[in-house]
Structure formats: structure tokens, C-alpha cells
Amino acid sequence: MPAALSTVLSAVFLETDPVRIIDSALVTEVLDLVKSCAGLFSIFPINVFMIGSLAAMGFRLFHKAKRVAVS
């Protein structure tokens, strides 16, 4: 899946002249991918683990930021 995601993200902006054109089909694919990933929050055991890990990452980030700001 990461290879497909990188292909989609790299192809979202198509180079033409000096103007960039956004391909709406690729944007739709990216949005569908995000929606399917967000759908994991509705499955019971997975949502508990995902919310817990996101909260832990947030606390770790704020702890490191606090240490950097104090020093």
C-alpha cells in the first residue's frame, strides 16, 4: 500500500506549463484512502489500540517539547 500511496501522491500535481493542474481522480483516490483508514476507528479492538497509541505519541511529543523549551 505505501507504494500505491506514494504513486498517487506524486501524481496529484501534474506538471504542464508553468501552471499546476490538480487531477481530481487522484484526489478522490486519496480521499477514499483516508476514509478507509478512518473507518478503522469504528472496529472495537482496533480503535482502542489506535486511540491509545495516538495519545501516547502525543504525550511523548509534548514531553520532548517541554524538555527542549526548558533547556
Side-chain angles (χ1 to χ4, degrees):
M1 204 69 168
L5 179 61
S6 65
T7 304
V8 169
L9 291 177
S10 66
V12 168
F13 293 102
L14 299 174
E15 293 277 341
T16 55
D17 293 331
V19 179
R20 291 182 179 238
I21 299 172
I22 298 175
D23 188 7
S24 62
L26 292 175
V27 172
T28 304
E29 289 292 326
V30 171
L31 289 176
D32 289 340
L33 179 66
V34 170
K35 287 179 185 177
S36 67
C37 290
L40 292 175
F41 283 104
S42 64
I43 303 171
F44 171 64
I46 296 176
N47 65 356
V48 173
F49 292 126
M50 287 178 67
I51 292 170
S53 63
L54 288 173
M57 286 174 46
F59 282 120
R60 216 175 304 137
L61 177 71
F62 280 110
H63 178 69
K64 288 181 181 180
K66 181 181 173 184
R67 283 184 20 208
V68 168
V70 170
S71 62

